[in-house]
């Protein structure tokens, strides 16, 4: 099993580095991309809801949201004692620019697998993720399954 872990890392790490490079070209880092992507799917989240969804601290989320708000990508709308988070038109535009490159890179890197094999891999990874302790689950394999 250790060998499978090493092989898995040897596949995933280069893909992640390639994604980081692509995002840098858009002046985004992976955390900011993930925030924009999550808000596009679930606008109106609170800062705490977003931090919980992405498994980061509220302080870490505050840092990234401040940067994104300064760039005009995220809008905070007060609702009682909380702020609801929404993408701005510019945030949505930047995400729409980033997503095709992101998806193309993933598609290219997984082109050695047939559509059926990609679906099988997504199912297997989903099973593996569900077998993890609840506090360790990222819950992000829906994206992989959608790309299969």
């Amino acid at each position: 099993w250790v060998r499978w872990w090493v092989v898995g890392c040897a596949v995933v790490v280069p893909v992640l580095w390639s994604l980081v490079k692509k995002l840098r070209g858009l002046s985004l880092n992976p955390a900011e991309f993930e925030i924009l992507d999550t808000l596009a799917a679930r606008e109106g989240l609170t800062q705490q809801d977003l931090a919980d969804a992405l498994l980061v601290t509220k302080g870490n989320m505050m840092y990234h949201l401040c940067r994104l708000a300064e760039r005009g990508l995220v809008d905070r709308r007060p609702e009682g004692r909380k702020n609801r988070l929404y993408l701005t038109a510019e945030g949505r535009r930047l995400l729409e620019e980033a997503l095709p490159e992101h998806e193309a890179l993933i598609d290219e890197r997984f082109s050695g697998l047939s559509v059926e094999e990609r679906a099988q891999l997504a199912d297997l990874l989903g099973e593996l993720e569900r077998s993890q302790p609840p506090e360790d689950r990222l819950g992000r394999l829906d994206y992989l399954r959608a790309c299969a």
Side-chain angles (χ1 to χ4, degrees):
W1 293 111
V2 171
R3 177 76 179 131
W4 286 106
W5 173 255
V6 171
V7 169
C9 289
V11 170
V12 170
V13 171
V15 173
L16 289 175
W17 277 114
S18 293
L19 290 171
V20 167
K21 289 178 202 170
K22 294 246 184 223
L23 291 173
R24 277 188 194 147
L26 298 170
S27 299
L28 286 174
N29 64 44
E32 293 165 345
F33 174 81
E34 194 74 17
I35 289 168
L36 296 178
D37 189 46
T38 301
L39 286 179
R42 298 172 60 194
E43 285 194 295
L45 289 175
T46 66
Q47 179 178 317
Q48 186 62 58
D49 291 339
L50 184 58
D52 291 345
L54 299 180
L55 298 177
V56 298
T57 65
K58 190 174 177 182
N60 184 279
M61 184 58 61
M62 175 69 98
Y63 169 78
H64 289 294
L65 287 173
C66 285
R67 286 176 42 104
L68 292 168
E70 287 172 4
R71 292 177 57 197
L73 303 176
V74 172
D75 185 28
R76 298 177 191 169
R77 299 181 194 162
E79 185 180 285
R81 295 180 54 202
K82 297 179 181 183
N83 285 323
R84 298 278 173 188
L85 304 169
Y86 298 87
L87 289 183
T88 64
E90 179 60 16
R92 191 168 303 286
R93 186 204 63 76
L94 186 60
L95 181 62
E96 288 172 1
E97 184 179 342
L99 276 173
E101 287 190 35
H102 180 88
E103 291 171 352
L105 178 65
I106 298 295
D107 196 43
E108 171 194 323
R109 295 301 178 94
F110 284 84
S111 65
L113 299 176
S114 68
V115 172
E116 295 80 18
E117 289 168 330
R118 291 180 195 194
Q120 184 180 17
L121 177 61
D123 289 341
L124 291 170
L125 291 173
E127 287 297 318
L128 184 58
E129 182 188 37
R130 285 186 288 281
S131 74
Q132 303 306 303
E135 65 274 11
D136 292 341
R137 292 184 207 152
L138 295 177
R140 302 297 293 175
L141 285 172
D142 292 334
Y143 177 77
L144 177 61
R145 189 169 286 107
C147 293

